[in-house]
């Protein structure tokens, strides 16, 4: 994961550089000099956006629910702790490429208001994924490991689906405190993920308007 994180950060700086100084990379108010470059950037934008959108849709609304309903709870949590860093890295990277390509194709000074809003939505999706990758996910995983340890001492966590945690927490103040903290962190992580998904959804509506069938 270390190489992917470094590459993600490098692409992020590229995206920021393109946004604030597009002329450095050959973009100007008259458009791109090379039609081939324009096509390649559009392709990169479309592929990366669709990858981010599809991954977010699956993980948020389908894959996670299926795993929750069919795996022992601790096994489900351990799997999520391995999957989410990879998920947020991949979606963040795709968002960064989408930001860079969209900003290059639509220089800020010559962009319409709609295009500026779309760049904002893409940047929001990128920022929410970075926040999850570097802030909320590490906190959630660490809190989950601590809670699993306490739950194993209480002989719970092997059940599938809804947990026996709440019943035990009524007589275990330590577990109750952990539940409260975990719920807050996990809630913030879920909110950031939904906000990212919503930002991508707004951009999908914009792209649909560009398709001439």
């Amino acid at each position: 994961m270390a190489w992917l994180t470094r590459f993600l950060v490098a692409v992020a700086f590229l995206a920021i550089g393109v946004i604030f100084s597009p002329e450095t990379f050959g973009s100007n108010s008259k458009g791109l000099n090379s039609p081939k470059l324009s096509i390649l950037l559009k392709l990169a934008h479309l592929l990366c956006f669709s990858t981010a959108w599809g991954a977010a849709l699956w993980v948020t609304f389908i894959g996670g629910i299926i795993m929750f309903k069919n795996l022992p709870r601790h096994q489900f949590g351990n799997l999520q702790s391995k999957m989410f860093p990879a998920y947020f890295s991949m979606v963040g990277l795709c968002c960064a490429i989408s930001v860079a390509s969209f900003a290059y194709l639509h220089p800020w000074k010559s962009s319409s208001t709609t295009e500026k809003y779309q760049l904002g939505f893409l940047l929001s999706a990128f920022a929410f994924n970075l926040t999850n990758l570097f802030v909320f996910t590490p906190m959630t995983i660490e809190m989950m490991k601590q809670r699993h340890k306490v739950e194993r001492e209480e002989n719970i966590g092997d059940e599938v689906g809804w947990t026996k945690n709440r019943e035990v927490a009524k007589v275990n103040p330590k577990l109750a405190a952990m539940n409260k903290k975990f719920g807050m962190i996990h809630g913030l992580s879920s909110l950031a993920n939904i906000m990212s998904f919503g930002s991508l959804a707004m951009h999908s509506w914009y792209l649909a308007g560009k398709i001439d069938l």
Side-chain angles (χ1 to χ4, degrees), residues 58-129:
W58 175 263
V59 170
T60 304
F61 299 105
I62 302 174
I65 296 174
I66 293 174
M67 288 188 289
F68 175 76
K69 290 184 176 181
N70 291 277
L71 291 176
R73 195 167 56 81
H74 281 186
Q75 185 177 342
F76 166 73
N78 290 330
L79 178 59
Q80 294 285 75
S81 71
K82 302 297 182 182
M83 184 182 73
F84 274 122
Y87 162 65
F88 290 126
S89 294
M90 183 190 73
V91 174
L93 177 60
C94 287
C95 288
I97 295 174
S98 293
V99 166
S101 56
F102 191 85
Y104 198 111
L105 290 164
H106 303 89
W108 185 263
K109 292 181 179 179
S110 60
S111 293
S112 66
T113 301
T114 299
E115 290 166 347
K116 291 177 180 179
Y117 273 121
Q118 292 306 314
L119 183 59
F121 287 131
L122 291 172
L123 277 170
S124 295
F126 176 60
F128 283 125
N129 274 281

Side-chain angles (χ1 to χ4, degrees), residues 38-209:
S38 176
I39 292 174
L40 287 174
L41 288 174
K42 289 178 181 178
L43 178 62
H45 178 74
L46 182 61
L47 290 178
C48 288
F49 167 78
S50 59
T51 298
W53 166 260
L57 178 66
W58 175 263
V59 170
T60 304
F61 299 105
I62 302 174
I65 296 174
I66 293 174
M67 288 188 289
F68 175 76
K69 290 184 176 181
N70 291 277
L71 291 176
R73 195 167 56 81
H74 281 186
Q75 185 177 342
F76 166 73
N78 290 330
L79 178 59
Q80 294 285 75
S81 71
K82 302 297 182 182
M83 184 182 73
F84 274 122
Y87 162 65
F88 290 126
S89 294
M90 183 190 73
V91 174
L93 177 60
C94 287
C95 288
I97 295 174
S98 293
V99 166
S101 56
F102 191 85
Y104 198 111
L105 290 164
H106 303 89
W108 185 263
K109 292 181 179 179
S110 60
S111 293
S112 66
T113 301
T114 299
E115 290 166 347
K116 291 177 180 179
Y117 273 121
Q118 292 306 314
L119 183 59
F121 287 131
L122 291 172
L123 277 170
S124 295
F126 176 60
F128 283 125
N129 274 281
L130 279 190
T131 302
N132 253 327
L133 177 62
F134 292 113
V135 181
F136 295 137
T137 294
M139 293 172 65
T140 302
I141 293 173
E142 181 59 30
M143 196 66 230
M144 181 201 72
K145 290 179 179 178
Q146 294 178 20
R147 194 169 70 153
H148 280 188
K149 182 179 179 181
V150 175
E151 287 177 336
R152 283 193 293 269
E153 294 173 355
E154 297 287 348
N155 295 316
I156 60 174
D158 292 329
E159 65 275 8
V160 176
W162 296 108
T163 176
K164 298 176 181 178
N165 175 291
R166 291 184 180 180
E167 297 177 8
V168 176
K170 292 178 181 179
V171 295
N172 189 325
K174 182 178 179 180
L175 183 58
M178 284 185 170
N179 287 345
K180 184 177 181 180
K181 185 176 180 180
F182 178 84
M184 180 184 67
I185 298 171
H186 186 265
L188 290 172
S189 177
S190 297
L191 177 62
N193 185 54
I194 289 295
M195 293 299 290
S196 172
F197 181 82
S199 297
L200 292 173
M202 295 300 294
H203 191 62
S204 71
W205 185 266
Y206 166 82
L207 291 179

